[in-house]
């Protein structure tokens, strides 16, 4: 029998979801506190430190400010959660992992309703302001918050800690989440191109850093589509596409053993034999010619979600 869940929301701009409560290292403290210092954490990590997030299986994924999670277990200041908005074969309820309790608040006082107006951050990063116009935390691209009211310059939004203000220029407002338009394949590519040069981050799900599948997931989300969180799951859904039929916005999947083994990478086909992707630790989001690249021999599948 599944344990009863408690609905919680992320109370920091980007909350990292860890493999176990013992996963964070001393250097990760800025990422597990509240307030969190994501920028300071990322800047302090060297290449080997970032690589260890993956190779030591420390990090699972991330969630943005105000995102709903369901807590299913508690252990010494940590909560085991599932993330309904991130589909995964790991748990039918949503992506699983552990989060510091201090970065979560019960959703009873704040719960995004898909039937009410929603503000979606469209800038790569956006400040929240208090009612006096003083700047507060910086939000990631695609952060979603319920709308309370609007003026020519400001959007008043509900947040886990009370009403705050977003600049109109930093967000788009939709009457309901169902009104978020479904984009085209070309629009998926255009959404991704704005992040060219952004450093890769294992488990990354924000405009502070994406991993390969997080990048694919979020560029689809920016165009009104929810796809699975991980590349191995993404490769099994959507519509299968042959290489000669590829169109911009299709997802390309790569597997070990020259395409015969396990899926380990995903990129977005950008047209004209080009791929847009977040490669690996130490690299940045780039446009790469597929033919003649090391990836070409590993290409194992292509899928279309748009």
């Amino acid at each position: 029998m599944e344990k009863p869940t408690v609905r919680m929301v992320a109370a920091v701009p980007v909350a990292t979801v860890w493999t176990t409560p013992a996963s964070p290292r001393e250097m990760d403290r800025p990422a597990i506190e509240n307030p969190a210092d994501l920028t300071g954490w990322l800047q302090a990590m060297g290449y080997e430190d970032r690589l260890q997030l993956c190779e030591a299986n420390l990090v699972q994924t991330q969630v943005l400010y105000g995102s709903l999670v369901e807590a299913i277990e508690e252990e010494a200041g940590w909560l085991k959660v599932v993330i309904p908005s991130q589909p995964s074969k790991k748990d039918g309820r949503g992506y699983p992992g552990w989060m510091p309790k201090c970065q979560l608040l019960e959703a009873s006082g704040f719960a995004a309703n898909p039937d009410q107006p929603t503000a979606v951050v469209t800038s790569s990063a956006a400040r929240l302001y208090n009612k006096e116009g003083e700047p507060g935390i910086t939000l990631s691209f695609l952060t979603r918050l319920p709308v309370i009211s609007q003026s020519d310059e400001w959007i008043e939004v509900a947040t886990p800690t009370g009403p705050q203000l977003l600049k109109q220029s930093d967000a788009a407002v939709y009457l309901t989440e169902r009104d978020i338009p479904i984009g085209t394949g070309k629009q998926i590519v255009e959404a991704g191109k704005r992040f060219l040069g952004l450093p890769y981050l294992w488990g990354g799900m924000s405009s502070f850093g994406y991993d390969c599948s997080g990048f694919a997931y979020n560029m689809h989300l920016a165009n009104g589509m929810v796809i699975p969180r991980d590349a191995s799951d993404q490769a099994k859904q959507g519509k299968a596409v042959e290489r000669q039929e590829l169109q911009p916005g299709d997802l390309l999947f790569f597997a070990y053993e020259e395409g015969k083994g396990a899926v380990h990478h995903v990129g977005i086909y950008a047209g004209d034999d080009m791929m847009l992707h977040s490669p690996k630790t130490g690299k940045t989001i780039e446009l790469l010619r597929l033919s003649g690249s090391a990836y070409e021999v590993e290409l194992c599948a292509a899928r279309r979600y748009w």
Side-chain angles (χ1 to χ4, degrees):
M1 179 182 294
E2 291 182 350
K3 296 180 180 180
T5 63
V6 179
R7 288 163 55 89
M8 312 284 286
V9 292
V12 295
V14 181
T16 299
V17 182
W18 302 83
T19 304
T20 74
S23 295
R25 306 156 296 184
E26 181 58 33
M27 71 177 66
D28 300 322
R29 187 165 298 281
I32 62 173
E33 296 178 332
N34 188 357
D37 181 9
L38 190 71
T39 300
W41 175 56
L42 294 175
Q43 290 176 345
M45 280 193 292
Y47 171 76
E48 294 295 336
D49 303 323
R50 283 175 172 252
L51 191 63
Q52 192 179 32
L53 296 175
C54 166
E55 294 197 339
N57 190 30
L58 303 181
V59 167
Q60 292 294 304
T61 187
Q62 292 178 318
V63 292
L64 303 183
Y65 188 64
S67 294
L68 177 71
V69 305
E70 296 181 355
I72 57 177
E73 193 176 325
E74 183 170 354
E75 179 183 308
W78 285 77
L79 294 174
K80 187 174 185 180
V81 303
V82 293
I83 307 164
S85 60
Q86 296 183 24
S88 172
K89 66 175 177 288
K90 295 180 179 181
D91 193 307
R93 296 168 293 180
Y95 213 98
W98 289 85
M99 298 178 67
K101 190 175 181 179
C102 68
Q103 293 189 340
L104 294 165
L105 291 172
E106 287 200 27
S108 55
F110 169 88
N113 182 342
D115 294 320
Q116 72 182 92
T118 300
V120 180
V121 172
T122 52
S123 297
S124 297
R127 283 275 200 160
L128 273 179
Y129 295 82
N130 64 20
K131 290 193 173 182
E132 286 69 47
E134 299 166 333
I137 61 175
T138 300
L139 304 180
S140 166
F141 176 61
L142 295 183
T143 300
R144 300 182 181 206
L145 295 168
V147 174
I148 299 172
S149 65
Q150 295 187 70
S151 67
D152 289 343
E153 184 179 358
W154 298 100
I155 306 166
E156 185 181 14
V157 292
T159 80
T161 56
Q164 297 278 302
L165 299 172
L166 267 174
K167 288 184 177 178
Q168 285 277 6
S169 57
D170 283 330
V173 173
Y174 301 99
L175 288 179
T176 72
E177 289 209 2
R178 290 186 295 277
D179 292 306
I180 297 174
I182 304 299
T184 65
K186 289 182 178 179
Q187 287 173 315
I188 291 170
V189 174
E190 289 307 308
K193 282 182 176 178
R194 68 190 294 182
F195 297 107
L196 285 168
L198 180 70
Y200 175 97
L201 176 65
W202 173 258
M205 285 285 277
S206 82
S207 51
F208 294 92
Y210 293 109
D211 65 13
C212 68
S213 56
F215 183 57
Y217 172 97
N218 279 283
M219 297 315 107
H220 280 75
L221 187 63
N223 285 279
M225 292 165 265
V226 176
I227 69 174
R229 165 64 179 92
D230 285 342
S232 57
D233 292 341
Q234 293 169 358
K236 295 175 182 175
Q237 296 186 33
K239 177 186 175 183
V241 180
E242 297 299 323
R243 184 167 178 177
Q244 64 270 21
E245 298 172 348
L246 285 171
Q247 295 184 43
D250 292 342
L251 293 183
L252 305 172
F253 297 94
F254 305 88
Y256 296 114
E257 301 171 29
E258 296 189 348
K260 299 179 178 65
V263 170
H264 68 85
H265 188 62
V266 58
I268 302 170
Y269 186 66
D272 299 323
D273 195 39
M274 302 297 289
M275 177 173 72
L276 177 65
H277 70 145
S278 188
K280 60 183 178 180
T281 300
K283 301 288 188 178
T284 63
I285 291 175
E286 65 176 3
L287 272 168
L288 173 82
R289 185 165 299 283
L290 185 60
S291 295
S293 72
Y295 291 97
E296 185 179 24
V297 296
E298 294 189 330
L299 182 63
C300 65
R303 296 278 171 168
R304 181 176 299 161
Y305 284 89
W306 50 275

